[in-house]
Amino acid sequence: MKHRVVFAGLAALAIVVSACGGSSGGGKVALLLPEKQTARYEAADRPFFEAKLKELCPDQFKEYIYNNAAEDATAQQQQAEAAITAGAKVLVLDPVDGEAAGKIVTDAAAKGVKVISYDRLLKGGSKPDYYISFDNEAVGRLQGQALLDKLTADGKTMAKVIWINGSPKDNNALLFAKGAHSVLDGKVEILKEDAMANWKQEEAQQIMEAAIAEFGKDGFDAVYVANDGGAAGVYAAMVANGVDPKTKPITGQDAQVDAIQRILTGDQYMTVYKAIQPEAELAAQLACKLVKGEKITDTTVAVNNGTIDVPSLLLTPVAVTVDGAVAGTKSVKDTVVADSFYGADTVAKICTPDFAAACTKAGIQ
Ligand code: BGC
């Protein structure tokens, strides 16, 4: 992937939406999400997309189509075909398998259906119309840099790292790994690098169980793991094997509630906060314009998917640690709490009785 233009993060929020207020065009909008294990899709991507579509394109919202493929690429292909048969003219597609889903895009294009590649890049020889995501290599760099800074602060040179990537079917996972490697290679010793085949917590847990068995409880210093679901698995494997997670920094991504709670107690070192609301709302704005046949002038960067340069919008991720003391990271309080990331009851969701003391210590109430 190459970025032609450096994009100024949330400036994309300044997107002009007034053009969406006109008469209703023909055709429906479909949102197709990839999985249910990771909290973000059903808890954030979907409701934020729907609320924005309802606001901007109320007529199309009445007929809007939603499906979640639950990590099954074949099911996703069928969901896309069914949506097109039912009259979808715009697919907002977050692919389970970026290569395999190329067929969905090519078939859609043959029928005049537009496709927005949502969060994960569509590949497989296809020509998606637009791409909306975060700067995913930057996600990996933030993970790698925060981990390196922590290990250095702890006096560890050439620290021994267990490394767990996301699903190889997801282009994002490749970018997260690329970004993290660009920071950590040559500065840590990578004992073992593996991947969650389907982004599942239990896959990370099994990899970590095997790593502890192979290298011993004290045979490693830290764990690079691509997201918070994986971090939960790594944490569980450590606890089950008598390893104190407070002594082995674990990375993450998504700023999930359970990860933020572990960060507050010191059981996970960091996460990457990606504000899903603007990402989902931008997708809804674009879908609304496209279904009405309006001109799109909002993209700011071109991302090559192996076939074409896809007009794109990339948002900026933020590294989160408990107090933001490590340079380049921000505190829990200044990110997910300040933004009410989990809704109006964000503090209540984080600061359950077990975490009340840790919340007070972090100045969250
Ligand atoms: C997303 C992450 C998510 C992962 C697993 C990636 O494509 O960008 O936010 O944790 O998939 O669903």
Side-chain angles (χ1 to χ4, degrees), residues 1-9 12 117 121 128-136 282 286 296-305 308-316:
M1 154 167 151
K2 74 181 178 227
H3 297 170
R4 282 257 176 90
V5 186
V6 176
F7 171 61
S117 185
L121 189 60
D129 295 279
Y130 299 96
Y131 176 47
I132 294 175
S133 189
F134 283 81
D135 181 338
N136 294 300
L282 285 169
L286 212 55
I296 305 294
T297 53
D298 312 301
T299 60
T300 54
V301 63
V303 175
N304 193 282
N305 78 335
I308 55 163
D309 284 340
V310 186
S312 304
L313 278 163
L314 298 180
L315 303 174
T316 303

Side-chain angles (χ1 to χ4, degrees), residues 24-31 49-50 53-54 57-66 82-83 86-90 291:
S24 154
K28 300 177 186 172
V29 171
L31 174 65
F49 181 90
E50 291 177 354
L53 190 68
K54 189 175 181 188
C57 265
D59 291 341
Q60 285 79 1
F61 179 72
K62 284 181 208 139
E63 303 191 304
Y64 147 87
I65 298 164
Y66 174 75
K89 287 285 174 241
V90 178
V291 79

Side-chain angles (χ1 to χ4, degrees), residues 35 38 40-41 119-120 170 172 176 199 227 254 274:
E35 58 127 317
T38 306
R40 58 170 285 181
Y41 301 107
D119 197 69
R120 300 177 181 176
D170 174 0
N172 285 348
F176 303 148
W199 275 118
N227 76 346
D254 287 336
K274 301 188 298 189

Side-chain angles (χ1 to χ4, degrees), residues 102-281:
K103 180 167 165 28
I104 297 177
V105 185
T106 306
D107 291 353
K111 293 179 177 139
V113 175
K114 303 274 187 215
V115 182
I116 298 171
S117 185
Y118 182 67
D119 197 69
R120 300 177 181 176
L121 189 60
L122 288 155
K123 297 163 92 176
S126 69
K127 298 178 181 171
D129 295 279
Y130 299 96
Y131 176 47
I132 294 175
S133 189
F134 283 81
D135 181 338
N136 294 300
E137 248 182 87
V139 169
R141 284 196 300 272
L142 289 173
Q143 293 170 323
Q145 192 62 52
L147 188 60
L148 185 63
D149 291 347
K150 165 75 175 153
L151 291 165
T152 307
D154 289 350
K156 301 229 162 79
T157 44
M158 284 311 274
K160 295 181 166 63
V161 175
I162 309 289
W163 190 298
I164 306 174
N165 291 315
S167 169
K169 291 178 283 192
D170 174 0
N171 185 62
N172 285 348
L174 311 178
L175 298 173
F176 303 148
K178 190 176 173 199
H181 274 295
S182 75
V183 175
L184 291 170
D185 283 4
K187 305 214 168 83
V188 298
E189 182 187 344
I190 300 166
L191 293 178
K192 173 180 185 161
E193 180 165 0
D194 208 334
M196 295 174 261
N198 295 293
W199 275 118
K200 291 194 171 141
Q201 173 174 333
E202 54 266 33
E203 293 165 343
Q205 187 165 344
Q206 279 162 16
I207 292 167
M208 195 61 210
E209 296 271 358
I212 295 171
E214 184 176 350
F215 302 106
K217 288 203 258 182
D218 300 315
F220 65 97
D221 299 306
V223 183
Y224 169 84
V225 55
N227 76 346
D228 288 340
V234 167
Y235 169 81
M238 284 192 191
V239 170
N241 287 280
V243 177
D244 181 0
K246 294 185 173 64
T247 64
K248 315 275 184 200
I250 306 170
T251 60
Q253 166 183 193
D254 287 336
Q256 289 187 182
V257 175
D258 60 311
I260 290 296
Q261 289 173 330
R262 285 191 297 274
I263 289 173
L264 291 173
T265 55
D267 289 302
Q268 180 173 325
Y269 168 57
M270 65 86 68
T271 188
V272 177
Y273 171 48
K274 301 188 298 189
I276 304 300
Q277 185 168 358
E279 186 186 23
E281 290 183 347

